[in-house]
Amino acid sequence: MRFVKPSRPNVYTGGTLDRAGHLREDAAWVERAMAGEAARYVVFWQGKTLIEGGARGAPRARLVRRPAVETAAVFLGLLDGVPVFAVDFSRLENPYEVIEAGEAAFADMRGVSGALPVDDATILATARAMLHWRGRTAYCSVCGGRTAPRKAGYVMACMACDTEHFPRTDPAVIMLVARGDFLLLGQSHKFPRERNFYSTLAGFVEPGESLEDAVRREVFEEVGVRVGEVVYHSSQPWPFPASLMLGFYAQALTEEIVLDESEMRAAGWFTRAQILDRARLGFDLPPPDSIARRLIDDWMGDEGGGDS
Ligand SMILES: [Zn+2]
């Protein structure tokens, strides 16, 4: 199996945000920073976040000054020395009443994330992941007691038994399976039928399993194909809602497809020519912000998967 280098960083990776983990320990500093003039806030509301400039084709994340309402914020880090926090205002009926949104409006970040500046995309991804985790950690999984944030929101501590719960991210393998000049792409029931897009296979890593074993198991479960060599490509945080995608190329040892119809709508072997000609053939590839698309584009190399 040839080694295919990532052509560029994945969306939601890189950037200059300094997570400044040591500052989370300093409750007095966090308090001062939150109240300071310089502080900026990423606001989420019912799964959406503030985006401006989209109409001009140059979307940006809108970071606002301290909202006019008390809230438990998560400290994301320092951006050029500016402390950046994340808050979730989903419970408010009208979040615009407590923030200076300017011309920004709440929007689904996935609609624009491929076009966002690198720092904006990584900050939004981090904020979304942290706020989702915190929202799901209101109660202690040991004793059922209420939890409260510590360490600038990076710990949820049980007020009854003092167990500390830490942010979690769920590893998932995502793999482009190849055999000679053919690529194995599939369509999950989760994909919108009308888009008719074909993507790499993917699945969650189970406890006690290596990444390579997870690749082989998932491919066999979903399409009945045996995989030999597995080569790492790159990773991508995927806060939709809580995954870390670990991307691989996998060498198929067998060809026959036996579809797991409970998970997959369709799967098949595709040639490069078919992938390049997909508009005429009536199918599409996954969205450009996804590592799935990067795996396909990088494998296609100079021919590229195209920009659509
Ligand atoms: Zn507890």
Side-chain angles (χ1 to χ4, degrees):
M1 168 129 284
R2 68 196 169 100
F3 175 72
V4 180
K5 237 177 113 180
S7 55
R8 55 198 156 99
N10 292 317
V11 176
Y12 312 122
T13 70
T16 60
L17 180 73
D18 171 6
R19 290 173 171 250
H22 62 287
L23 291 174
R24 296 172 198 156
E25 314 278 333
D26 187 344
W29 182 89
V30 172
E31 190 105 326
R32 277 200 313 278
M34 275 183 68
E37 268 295 293
R40 289 294 178 271
Y41 288 75
V42 178
V43 183
F44 270 82
W45 178 71
Q46 299 186 355
K48 297 176 174 177
T49 192
L50 283 173
I51 301 291
E52 61 190 359
R56 293 192 298 275
R60 293 219 50 162
R62 166 84 172 182
L63 275 54
V64 300
R65 292 171 191 277
R66 185 179 203 181
V69 60
E70 277 306 310
T71 183
V74 178
F75 174 58
L76 299 180
L78 301 170
L79 188 64
D80 289 333
V82 172
V84 179
F85 296 88
V87 290
D88 189 338
F89 284 156
S90 293
R91 277 174 295 182
L92 297 184
E93 200 161 307
N94 182 2
Y96 294 102
E97 286 177 355
V98 298
I99 53 171
E100 294 170 21
E103 63 161 29
F106 285 97
D108 179 359
M109 62 184 271
R110 281 215 64 197
V112 295
S113 48
L116 288 173
V118 170
D119 280 334
D120 293 25
T122 55
I123 286 170
L124 292 187
T126 306
R128 196 178 202 282
M130 287 300 297
L131 294 172
H132 173 81
W133 166 74
R134 210 183 54 174
R136 295 292 178 94
T137 317
Y139 294 92
C140 175
S141 55
V142 177
C143 79
R146 289 290 308 205
T147 60
R150 279 183 196 163
K151 297 190 181 164
Y154 264 78
V155 168
M156 292 296 274
C158 177
M159 292 188 281
C161 76
D162 212 38
T163 298
E164 292 194 321
H165 301 275
F166 297 91
R168 54 169 299 162
T169 185
D170 300 325
V173 289
I174 182 160
M175 45 277 175
L176 183 53
V177 180
R179 183 164 170 83
D181 287 333
F182 290 86
L183 299 179
L184 178 58
L185 301 177
Q187 189 173 105
S188 159
H189 288 301
K190 291 178 206 144
F191 300 168
R193 191 186 282 272
E194 64 279 7
R195 290 276 319 274
N196 195 32
F197 71 74
Y198 281 78
S199 185
T200 56
L201 305 181
F204 286 107
V205 181
E206 296 189 345
E209 193 173 45
S210 72
L211 301 178
E212 293 84 351
D213 287 345
V215 168
R216 295 186 182 102
R217 175 183 55 75
E218 280 288 342
V219 173
F220 187 71
E221 282 178 5
E222 290 184 358
V223 296
V225 168
R226 291 290 183 190
V227 158
E229 194 180 1
V230 172
V231 178
Y232 178 71
H233 176 268
S234 63
S235 67
Q236 182 186 43
W238 193 249
F240 310 106
S243 298
L244 173 65
M245 307 304 292
L246 300 142
F248 295 88
Y249 292 108
Q251 181 82 53
L253 301 175
T254 63
E255 276 168 28
E256 192 195 350
I257 290 173
V258 182
L259 205 62
D260 173 2
E261 290 175 1
S262 68
E263 277 202 51
M264 306 293 293
R265 193 178 291 142
W269 293 101
F270 292 75
T271 63
R272 285 158 185 270
Q274 287 172 320
I275 290 170
L276 290 170
D277 202 20
R278 62 187 176 279
R280 196 179 62 78
L281 294 172
F283 71 97
D284 204 352
L285 295 178
D289 67 330
S290 64
I291 187 173
R293 182 57 176 271
R294 182 59 48 80
L295 287 165
I296 297 168
D297 284 354
D298 284 357
W299 182 270
M300 299 284 287
D302 293 340
E303 290 169 289
D307 289 329
S308 73

